[in-house]
Amino acid sequence: MNAPITAAHLPLTDAQAERLRTLVGELSPAQLLWVSGYLAAHAQHGGDVPATPAATAAGALTVLYGSQSGNGAKLARRLAELAQARGLAVTLTSTADYKPVRLRDERTLALIVSTHGEGEPPDSARELHEYLHGRKAPRLESLRYAVLALGDSSYQFYCQTGKDFDAAFEKQGAQRLFERVDCDIDYDDAAAAWMEQLLGRVGSAPAVRATPALTPVGGGMQYDKRNPYQAEVLENIVLNGRGSDKETRHIELAVPGLSYTPGDALGVLAQNDPRLVDELLSVLDLSAEAPVSVGGVTLPLAQALTGHLEITALTRPFLAGWAALAGADRLTALLADGNEAALRAFLDGRQIIDVVQEFALPGLEADAFVGLLRRLPPRLYSLASSLAASPDEAHVTVAAVRYHSHGRARAGVASTWLADRVQPGDTVPVFIEANENFRLPADPQAPAIMIGPGTGVAPFRAFLQEREVQGATGQNWLFFGDRHFHTDFLYQTDWQGWLKGGLLTRMDVAFSRDQARKVYVQDRLRERGGELYAWLQSGAHVYVCGDATAMAADVHAALRDIVAAEGGLGAEAAEEYLRELARTRRYQRDIY
């Protein structure tokens, strides 16, 4: 319940506080939302904000976001703040909480949505996506809309979910306010321009520049990828035993200036391997000291390639640009419509160094090359710690990526930077990426089923640390898998301690290479189907973390089959059972 409005709480006289209390008591939630935006705009623009009903009715805006990792949510909140500052009536909603039938009543809608995996909607937007593409999709002639699509141009189905929604709205008769904007991983400027264009179409107040703002949180500065926190490395330990063919690191960082919740991720701003930078400079015959512009700042080329630009992952925009500069007809043909399979085969295992070497371009200027590259994206790692258990620390679990392809040794940018070139005492630029779609049950008595093979087990270490400190009484069941028991049982002593103490009710493991027939976590799920279904029926929450390519789909199929078999349901009814779990936040996934 809100505290009563009195002059003791506000810089108001008693009479002003009483008038405010009376007004607030008379207003509906929608009217309160409008008033909050109007007052913010009034303060910002010195009283020049019109308050006519006609203007605000025309400017009513629903901001809807579908986000897997949290970027879409942050942008949606920023848009809502800017709209309210203009005096617009704003409704801000996640697609996870949005009832699809509400679309019939919407008049102006801004949708910010990411694409997950190979062209799939994020889990939170799946129901709305299916509704709009199904037989029940309504006619939407009264709707005006705009779409901001988030994606990664190194994937084949770049921004596909945003494209799907845009096409579905148009098909149902909705009016597009302006063309959809597709954003790559460095989305800030494009998103800011989209917001400004949208607000210019929806509202009538003076333009507000839509640039990200730093706001105080907990008395400190809000850190993000443009303003990272410099965290000292406390520990950098190999978790695998001797003889393992994997290298998994447990890294502990000092973060007294950061706050996070179990389920969040740590964003790491890594650096490219200097050896790869030197090789690129040699192949391109460019000077390390050549001045280039990155984000309006002039830097030596080697510095730009090391810490600011993506020099590994191939994207369609890079291939198109290089094909044009080098006159590479083969690349141009691969990018043509109808050649998607050939393009996928070409991209498999190749990086930028392969293209610039195979399709040589003598005399290339440094700025021309830099103009083809996108910004080096941060890497996100699920946090493996709870602040309640490890104050002022953040722990992550990192699998060093190393492989060979096309005759060349390859390495993951961030994982091998952390494994090979970062030592205790060094500082690492980081920030917290909130993930509201991966949270412990609000009820400490609720059971939790956690499924996390490999490094996917990281957030469940944080979950159990948090539940232990909370004194939560809900049962906990962990499914973990990796290759070998003796060398790859990550955090074994932690799990054993929690099993002995009773916090971890039970644990099932699957070590795939310890027997002739490979066994995975989904196999263990099926073996425990009856018990697992009983847990679901008693209100258990299910969490899945790890590989999206195969594991997540296999685990989902196992859960569906268990529900069908144990509940006596058909396949579609079992799928609907899981959809209902997702709608009520009892089935959450953090997959990548």
Side-chain angles (χ1 to χ4, degrees), residues 361-559:
L361 181 54
L364 177 70
E365 295 291 333
D367 271 327
F369 179 61
V370 165
L372 299 179
L373 304 177
R374 63 182 186 177
R375 296 296 293 265
L376 181 63
R379 268 53 174 185
L380 300 180
Y381 295 99
S382 299
L383 282 152
S385 57
S386 158
L387 276 177
S390 302
D392 297 333
E393 293 183 10
H395 303 172
V396 290
T397 313
V398 179
V401 176
R402 309 181 199 274
Y403 61 100
H404 280 78
S405 66
H406 301 284
R408 187 188 299 273
R410 317 283 179 170
V413 173
S415 65
T416 55
W417 178 64
L418 291 169
D420 300 342
R421 304 194 299 281
V422 170
Q423 304 297 326
D426 294 342
T427 58
V428 174
V430 302
F431 61 95
I432 298 299
E433 188 73 38
N435 186 358
E436 297 299 331
N437 297 317
F438 206 70
R439 288 287 185 257
L440 276 167
D443 180 4
Q445 298 182 38
I449 300 169
M450 298 164 280
I451 306 163
T455 58
V457 83
F460 304 134
R461 182 174 182 266
F463 277 19
L464 289 171
Q465 285 185 354
E466 184 82 358
R467 297 200 102 180
E468 183 175 39
V469 172
Q470 289 177 343
T473 57
Q475 293 185 306
N476 300 292
W477 187 353
L478 176 65
F479 288 85
F480 171 72
D482 214 310
R483 292 184 179 177
H484 300 285
F485 171 82
H486 290 293
T487 59
D488 305 318
F489 200 163
L490 307 183
Y491 299 115
Q492 180 180 5
T493 56
D494 286 342
W495 315 129
Q496 289 175 334
W498 283 321
L499 280 166
K500 183 177 180 180
L503 177 69
L504 187 54
T505 310
R506 65 177 300 171
M507 181 175 188
D508 284 273
V509 296
F511 293 101
S512 61
R513 313 298 170 86
D514 280 350
Q515 59 281 312
R517 182 180 70 86
K518 292 181 179 178
V519 178
Y520 299 103
V521 288
Q522 58 267 25
D523 300 312
R524 295 294 185 232
L525 291 171
R526 294 178 188 276
E527 292 169 4
R528 311 290 189 259
E531 297 160 276
L532 191 145
Y533 183 70
W535 276 52
L536 292 178
Q537 290 294 90
S538 69
H541 292 235
V542 182
Y543 301 91
V544 181
C545 183
D547 169 53
T549 306
M551 183 279 297
D554 291 341
V555 165
H556 183 86
L559 292 172

Side-chain angles (χ1 to χ4, degrees), residues 5 50 72 82 90 111 141 144 150 153 164 183 192 220 236 244 251 278 321 330 340 344 385 442-443 450 541:
I5 299 173
L82 290 168
V90 181
L111 175 65
E141 282 91 350
R144 300 185 304 160
L150 305 179
S153 60
D164 290 347
C183 294
N236 191 337
S244 176
I251 299 173
D278 291 343
R330 181 187 170 200
E340 288 79 11
R344 284 197 301 274
S385 57
D443 180 4
M450 298 164 280
H541 292 235

Side-chain angles (χ1 to χ4, degrees), residues 269-284:
L269 280 70
Q271 294 189 1
N272 288 306
D273 190 335
R275 293 171 298 181
L276 180 58
V277 172
D278 291 343
E279 187 177 8
L280 262 177
L281 293 173
S282 176
V283 169
L284 295 169

Side-chain angles (χ1 to χ4, degrees), residues 54-63 79 83-84 86-90 107-110 144-146 177-178 194-205:
T56 57
L61 174 67
T62 295
V63 179
L79 173 59
Q84 286 183 333
R86 290 172 176 249
L88 307 180
V90 181
R107 293 299 174 262
T108 306
L109 176 70
R144 300 185 304 160
Y145 76 96
L177 286 167
F178 52 90
W194 178 84
M195 290 182 193
E196 191 156 348
Q197 186 175 11
L198 173 68
L199 294 174
R201 296 292 179 90
V202 175
S204 58

Side-chain angles (χ1 to χ4, degrees), residues 110-466:
L111 175 65
I112 301 174
V113 66
S114 61
T115 294
H116 188 62
E118 293 299 329
E120 297 296 319
D123 287 346
S124 62
R126 191 172 299 276
E127 182 180 8
L128 182 62
H129 187 271
E130 291 176 353
Y131 176 77
L132 271 173
H133 289 82
R135 293 190 302 273
K136 296 182 179 180
R139 296 297 297 169
L140 300 171
E141 282 91 350
S142 299
L143 176 67
R144 300 185 304 160
Y145 76 96
V147 175
L148 181 71
L150 305 179
D152 182 340
S153 60
S154 65
Y155 285 84
Q156 178 186 358
F157 301 103
Y158 172 55
C159 288
Q160 187 62 49
T161 300
K163 296 173 183 177
D164 290 347
F165 274 111
D166 187 25
F169 285 137
E170 182 181 44
K171 181 180 178 180
Q172 299 307 319
Q175 176 190 347
R176 187 184 291 111
L177 286 167
F178 52 90
E179 290 301 312
R180 181 191 72 251
V181 171
D182 296 338
C183 294
D184 206 345
I185 50 179
D186 187 26
Y187 55 77
D188 297 275
D189 293 340
W194 178 84
M195 290 182 193
E196 191 156 348
Q197 186 175 11
L198 173 68
L199 294 174
R201 296 292 179 90
V202 175
S204 58
V208 179
R209 182 169 177 77
T211 53
L214 298 177
T215 56
V217 175
M221 184 69 74
Q222 176 66 50
Y223 296 97
D224 58 23
K225 65 182 180 181
R226 292 194 170 189
N227 178 47
Y229 181 89
Q230 298 297 325
E232 181 185 355
V233 178
L234 302 174
E235 298 282 357
N236 191 337
I237 304 167
V238 176
L239 292 176
N240 305 93
R242 184 177 301 172
S244 176
D245 55 1
K246 301 179 72 174
E247 181 186 345
T248 310
R249 298 266 175 166
H250 172 77
I251 299 173
E252 299 183 1
L253 303 162
V255 292
L258 297 183
S259 178
Y260 63 86
T261 300
D264 291 343
L266 188 75
V268 176
L269 280 70
Q271 294 189 1
N272 288 306
D273 190 335
R275 293 171 298 181
L276 180 58
V277 172
D278 291 343
E279 187 177 8
L280 262 177
L281 293 173
S282 176
V283 169
L284 295 169
D285 193 24
L286 292 173
S287 168
E289 300 302 319
V292 294
S293 178
V294 179
V297 178
T298 300
L299 301 170
L301 178 57
Q303 183 180 342
L305 297 180
T306 299
H308 298 273
L309 299 170
E310 173 76 79
I311 62 171
T312 52
L314 281 172
T315 66
R316 288 182 65 95
F318 176 84
L319 286 177
W322 191 262
L325 287 176
D329 294 339
R330 181 187 170 200
L331 290 180
T332 302
L334 285 171
L335 292 166
D337 290 342
N339 287 341
E340 288 79 11
L343 177 60
R344 284 197 301 274
F346 176 81
L347 292 175
D348 186 29
R350 284 187 170 88
Q351 296 178 333
I352 287 174
I353 185 70
D354 301 286
V355 172
V356 302
Q357 196 164 38
E358 183 174 352
F359 303 94
L361 181 54
L364 177 70
E365 295 291 333
D367 271 327
F369 179 61
V370 165
L372 299 179
L373 304 177
R374 63 182 186 177
R375 296 296 293 265
L376 181 63
R379 268 53 174 185
L380 300 180
Y381 295 99
S382 299
L383 282 152
S385 57
S386 158
L387 276 177
S390 302
D392 297 333
E393 293 183 10
H395 303 172
V396 290
T397 313
V398 179
V401 176
R402 309 181 199 274
Y403 61 100
H404 280 78
S405 66
H406 301 284
R408 187 188 299 273
R410 317 283 179 170
V413 173
S415 65
T416 55
W417 178 64
L418 291 169
D420 300 342
R421 304 194 299 281
V422 170
Q423 304 297 326
D426 294 342
T427 58
V428 174
V430 302
F431 61 95
I432 298 299
E433 188 73 38
N435 186 358
E436 297 299 331
N437 297 317
F438 206 70
R439 288 287 185 257
L440 276 167
D443 180 4
Q445 298 182 38
I449 300 169
M450 298 164 280
I451 306 163
T455 58
V457 83
F460 304 134
R461 182 174 182 266
F463 277 19
L464 289 171
Q465 285 185 354
E466 184 82 358

